[in-house]
PDB file of all heavy atoms in Angstrom:
ATOM      1  N   ALA A 109      89.439 -61.244 -84.073  1.00 97.00           N
ATOM      2  CA  ALA A 109      89.592 -59.811 -83.851  1.00 97.00           C
ATOM      3  C   ALA A 109      90.601 -59.573 -82.736  1.00 97.00           C
ATOM      4  O   ALA A 109      91.154 -60.518 -82.152  1.00 97.00           O
ATOM      5  CB  ALA A 109      88.238 -59.196 -83.482  1.00 97.00           C
ATOM      6  N   ALA A 186      95.717 -61.764-105.561  1.00 95.00           N
ATOM      7  CA  ALA A 186      97.059 -62.291-105.824  1.00 95.00           C
ATOM      8  C   ALA A 186      97.833 -62.460-104.523  1.00 95.00           C
ATOM      9  O   ALA A 186      98.534 -63.459-104.329  1.00 95.00           O
ATOM     10  CB  ALA A 186      97.807 -61.367-106.778  1.00 95.00           C
ATOM     11  N   ALA A 194      95.929 -71.413-103.613  1.00 95.00           N
ATOM     12  CA  ALA A 194      95.445 -70.555-104.695  1.00 95.00           C
ATOM     13  C   ALA A 194      94.080 -70.995-105.201  1.00 95.00           C
ATOM     14  O   ALA A 194      93.241 -70.167-105.576  1.00 95.00           O
ATOM     15  CB  ALA A 194      96.445 -70.546-105.845  1.00 95.00           C
ATOM     16  N   THR A 221      71.384 -56.741 -99.193  1.00 95.00           N
ATOM     17  CA  THR A 221      72.705 -57.286 -98.889  1.00 95.00           C
ATOM     18  C   THR A 221      72.986 -58.309 -99.977  1.00 95.00           C
ATOM     19  O   THR A 221      72.401 -59.391 -99.993  1.00 95.00           O
ATOM     20  CB  THR A 221      72.727 -57.961 -97.498  1.00 95.00           C
ATOM     21  OG1 THR A 221      72.244 -57.035 -96.524  1.00 95.00           O
ATOM     22  CG2 THR A 221      74.140 -58.394 -97.133  1.00 95.00           C
ATOM     23  N   ALA A 226      83.089 -65.259-106.843  1.00 96.00           N
ATOM     24  CA  ALA A 226      83.848 -65.679-108.013  1.00 96.00           C
ATOM     25  C   ALA A 226      85.017 -66.531-107.522  1.00 96.00           C
ATOM     26  O   ALA A 226      85.065 -66.926-106.367  1.00 96.00           O
ATOM     27  CB  ALA A 226      84.333 -64.468-108.807  1.00 96.00           C
ATOM     28  N   HIS A 232      83.709 -75.287-108.611  1.00 95.00           N
ATOM     29  CA  HIS A 232      82.411 -74.615-108.703  1.00 95.00           C
ATOM     30  C   HIS A 232      81.451 -75.084-107.624  1.00 95.00           C
ATOM     31  O   HIS A 232      80.645 -74.306-107.093  1.00 95.00           O
ATOM     32  CB  HIS A 232      81.804 -74.829-110.094  1.00 95.00           C
ATOM     33  CG  HIS A 232      80.973 -73.687-110.572  1.00 95.00           C
ATOM     34  ND1 HIS A 232      79.714 -73.423-110.088  1.00 95.00           N
ATOM     35  CD2 HIS A 232      81.238 -72.720-111.485  1.00 95.00           C
ATOM     36  CE1 HIS A 232      79.223 -72.350-110.694  1.00 95.00           C
ATOM     37  NE2 HIS A 232      80.128 -71.900-111.537  1.00 95.00           N
ATOM     38  N   ALA A 264      85.169 -49.959-110.985  1.00 92.00           N
ATOM     39  CA  ALA A 264      84.783 -48.917-111.939  1.00 92.00           C
ATOM     40  C   ALA A 264      83.718 -47.996-111.356  1.00 92.00           C
ATOM     41  O   ALA A 264      83.636 -46.817-111.718  1.00 92.00           O
ATOM     42  CB  ALA A 264      84.283 -49.549-113.231  1.00 92.00           C
ATOM     43  N   PHE A 269      83.691 -42.402-107.483  1.00 95.00           N
ATOM     44  CA  PHE A 269      82.860 -41.982-106.344  1.00 95.00           C
ATOM     45  C   PHE A 269      83.736 -41.666-105.133  1.00 95.00           C
ATOM     46  O   PHE A 269      83.630 -40.599-104.505  1.00 95.00           O
ATOM     47  CB  PHE A 269      81.871 -43.118-106.065  1.00 95.00           C
ATOM     48  CG  PHE A 269      81.037 -42.987-104.823  1.00 95.00           C
ATOM     49  CD1 PHE A 269      80.535 -41.764-104.411  1.00 95.00           C
ATOM     50  CD2 PHE A 269      80.734 -44.124-104.087  1.00 95.00           C
ATOM     51  CE1 PHE A 269      79.748 -41.670-103.254  1.00 95.00           C
ATOM     52  CE2 PHE A 269      79.949 -44.046-102.950  1.00 95.00           C
ATOM     53  CZ  PHE A 269      79.461 -42.805-102.530  1.00 95.00           C
ATOM     54  N   LEU A 280      77.783 -37.089-102.374  1.00 94.00           N
ATOM     55  CA  LEU A 280      77.699 -37.370-103.804  1.00 94.00           C
ATOM     56  C   LEU A 280      76.839 -36.357-104.550  1.00 94.00           C
ATOM     57  O   LEU A 280      77.166 -35.966-105.671  1.00 94.00           O
ATOM     58  CB  LEU A 280      77.155 -38.787-104.019  1.00 94.00           C
ATOM     59  CG  LEU A 280      77.027 -39.246-105.468  1.00 94.00           C
ATOM     60  CD1 LEU A 280      78.357 -39.164-106.200  1.00 94.00           C
ATOM     61  CD2 LEU A 280      76.481 -40.671-105.526  1.00 94.00           C
ATOM     62  N   ALA A 289      82.210 -32.363-114.619  1.00 97.00           N
ATOM     63  CA  ALA A 289      83.188 -32.657-115.677  1.00 97.00           C
ATOM     64  C   ALA A 289      84.260 -33.608-115.173  1.00 97.00           C
ATOM     65  O   ALA A 289      84.665 -34.543-115.879  1.00 97.00           O
ATOM     66  CB  ALA A 289      83.810 -31.361-116.191  1.00 97.00           C
ATOM     67  N   ALA A 300      88.069 -47.125-119.233  1.00 97.00           N
ATOM     68  CA  ALA A 300      89.109 -47.483-120.196  1.00 97.00           C
ATOM     69  C   ALA A 300      90.102 -48.472-119.585  1.00 97.00           C
ATOM     70  O   ALA A 300      90.528 -49.433-120.238  1.00 97.00           O
ATOM     71  CB  ALA A 300      89.835 -46.226-120.673  1.00 97.00           C
ATOM     72  N   PHE A 321      71.549 -42.159-106.825  1.00 88.00           N
ATOM     73  CA  PHE A 321      71.827 -42.251-105.391  1.00 88.00           C
ATOM     74  C   PHE A 321      71.333 -41.014-104.659  1.00 88.00           C
ATOM     75  O   PHE A 321      71.363 -39.908-105.212  1.00 88.00           O
ATOM     76  CB  PHE A 321      73.328 -42.431-105.154  1.00 88.00           C
ATOM     77  CG  PHE A 321      73.797 -43.853-105.230  1.00 88.00           C
ATOM     78  CD1 PHE A 321      73.671 -44.584-106.407  1.00 88.00           C
ATOM     79  CD2 PHE A 321      74.351 -44.480-104.127  1.00 88.00           C
ATOM     80  CE1 PHE A 321      74.095 -45.900-106.481  1.00 88.00           C
ATOM     81  CE2 PHE A 321      74.774 -45.803-104.191  1.00 88.00           C
ATOM     82  CZ  PHE A 321      74.651 -46.505-105.364  1.00 88.00           C
ATOM     83  N   PRO A 322      70.874 -41.161-103.419  1.00 88.00           N
ATOM     84  CA  PRO A 322      70.445 -39.994-102.635  1.00 88.00           C
ATOM     85  C   PRO A 322      71.574 -38.971-102.550  1.00 88.00           C
ATOM     86  O   PRO A 322      72.746 -39.340-102.431  1.00 88.00           O
ATOM     87  CB  PRO A 322      70.130 -40.586-101.253  1.00 88.00           C
ATOM     88  CG  PRO A 322      69.841 -42.027-101.510  1.00 88.00           C
ATOM     89  CD  PRO A 322      70.696 -42.424-102.673  1.00 88.00           C
ATOM     90  N   ALA A 343      94.779 -48.904-102.353  1.00 96.00           N
ATOM     91  CA  ALA A 343      94.045 -50.067-102.853  1.00 96.00           C
ATOM     92  C   ALA A 343      93.068 -49.691-103.960  1.00 96.00           C
ATOM     93  O   ALA A 343      92.716 -50.535-104.792  1.00 96.00           O
ATOM     94  CB  ALA A 343      93.286 -50.737-101.712  1.00 96.00           C
ATOM     95  N   ARG A 350      98.183 -48.094-111.261  1.00 98.00           N
ATOM     96  CA  ARG A 350      99.142 -49.145-111.649  1.00 98.00           C
ATOM     97  C   ARG A 350      98.627 -49.948-112.835  1.00 98.00           C
ATOM     98  O   ARG A 350      99.387 -50.293-113.749  1.00 98.00           O
ATOM     99  CB  ARG A 350      99.432 -50.047-110.445  1.00 98.00           C
ATOM    100  CG  ARG A 350     100.336 -49.388-109.400  1.00 98.00           C
ATOM    101  CD  ARG A 350     100.762 -50.355-108.323  1.00 98.00           C
ATOM    102  NE  ARG A 350      99.698 -50.706-107.397  1.00 98.00           N
ATOM    103  CZ  ARG A 350      99.364 -50.000-106.315  1.00 98.00           C
ATOM    104  NH1 ARG A 350      99.995 -48.871-106.033  1.00 98.00           N
ATOM    105  NH2 ARG A 350      98.402 -50.405-105.510  1.00 98.00           N
ATOM    106  N   ARG A 364      95.829 -36.933-110.813  1.00 98.00           N
ATOM    107  CA  ARG A 364      95.846 -35.654-110.092  1.00 98.00           C
ATOM    108  C   ARG A 364      95.119 -35.760-108.754  1.00 98.00           C
ATOM    109  O   ARG A 364      95.620 -35.284-107.733  1.00 98.00           O
ATOM    110  CB  ARG A 364      95.216 -34.553-110.952  1.00 98.00           C
ATOM    111  CG  ARG A 364      95.137 -33.209-110.228  1.00 98.00           C
ATOM    112  CD  ARG A 364      94.640 -32.108-111.130  1.00 98.00           C
ATOM    113  NE  ARG A 364      93.311 -32.369-111.671  1.00 98.00           N
ATOM    114  CZ  ARG A 364      92.178 -32.212-110.977  1.00 98.00           C
ATOM    115  NH1 ARG A 364      92.211 -31.834-109.711  1.00 98.00           N
ATOM    116  NH2 ARG A 364      91.021 -32.445-111.553  1.00 98.00           N
TER     117      ARG A 364
END
Side-chain angles (χ1 to χ4, degrees):
T221 307
H232 212 285
F269 172 38
L280 181 57
F321 275 62
R350 286 188 287 275
R364 177 174 59 78

